[in-house]
Amino acid sequence: MLTIRLVQMIEDHAEELTQGLIKDLQSNPRTPHYHQLTYDELHYRTYAVYRNLGHWISQRTEDPIAANYADLAIRRFAEGVPLEEIVFALISTKNHLYSYVRSTGLVDSAVELHQERELRRLIGHFFDNAIFYSVRAYEREASLFHAKRSMKSAA
């Protein structure tokens, strides 16, 4: 099945995809805070998504995605990365992946085109969830931070 082959190819080329995305994030004017994050931090997160794509998109529950991306959002909040940069980075990760799938040249028939669309749907769903849980956790963390700061200034 092409979908399995595409996922396997993405996982097999996770390092190449990761390096390309990091280069983009560290040079894009829309992600200036990512320019200051270490290569290792960006590599760890990005590589994990690409390397474990099959696992991520086959999850029966959103709990692992929620936990992983909540953790990421809380870490980025603590680092002072604005929410819009986090969302842009997630969208860039997805688009980088879509470009790679398009460039593989494995899709030759209508059936394979359908399978590629199904893979794109699964990937899109995964990233939609990643964005949702990131935004939710980031906003909660920001609310807690501001509440604590208000309590300190009131005291």
Side-chain angles (χ1 to χ4, degrees):
M1 175 181 244
L2 179 68
T3 303
I4 294 169
R5 283 192 338 201
L6 283 170
V7 168
Q8 186 62 51
M9 188 173 49
I10 290 165
E11 290 176 348
D12 289 347
H13 291 92
E15 185 61 39
E16 176 186 338
L17 285 160
T18 298
Q19 289 177 8
L21 179 63
I22 290 171
K23 182 179 176 186
D24 291 346
L25 290 176
Q26 290 190 320
S27 63
N28 193 306
R30 292 184 179 179
T31 55
H33 289 83
Y34 281 77
H35 303 182
Q36 298 157 5
L37 296 175
T38 68
Y39 178 88
D40 288 341
E41 171 69 11
L42 289 172
H43 185 277
Y44 171 75
R45 288 289 182 170
T46 305
Y47 182 81
V49 170
Y50 291 143
R51 185 68 184 120
N52 299 307
L53 182 66
H55 173 73
W56 284 116
I57 64 176
S58 67
Q59 290 290 312
R60 298 276 186 231
T61 175
E62 294 177 5
D63 293 344
I65 296 168
N68 188 61
Y69 284 91
D71 177 61
L72 172 69
I74 291 166
R75 182 176 298 143
R76 293 293 179 258
F77 179 82
E79 294 165 343
V81 177
L83 182 57
E84 66 267 18
E85 288 188 44
I86 297 167
V87 171
F88 186 81
L90 288 168
I91 292 168
S92 294
T93 305
K94 176 183 72 174
N95 289 337
H96 198 75
L97 188 53
Y98 283 164
S99 293
Y100 179 76
V101 169
R102 248 190 330 262
S103 71
T104 61
L106 287 179
V107 180
D108 293 331
S109 71
V111 172
E112 291 172 336
L113 180 60
H114 174 72
Q115 290 174 341
E116 180 191 357
R117 285 186 182 156
E118 176 62 10
L119 177 64
R120 289 175 63 92
R121 185 191 68 75
L122 292 170
I123 291 169
H125 182 72
F126 165 74
F127 279 100
D128 289 347
N129 284 327
I131 291 169
F132 171 78
Y133 290 115
S134 295
V135 169
R136 185 172 77 175
Y138 191 98
E139 288 179 342
R140 283 183 183 166
E141 194 68 14
S143 292
L144 289 171
F145 175 80
H146 294 301
K148 288 176 186 176
R149 202 163 74 180
S150 293
M151 289 175 30
K152 284 182 182 177
S153 64

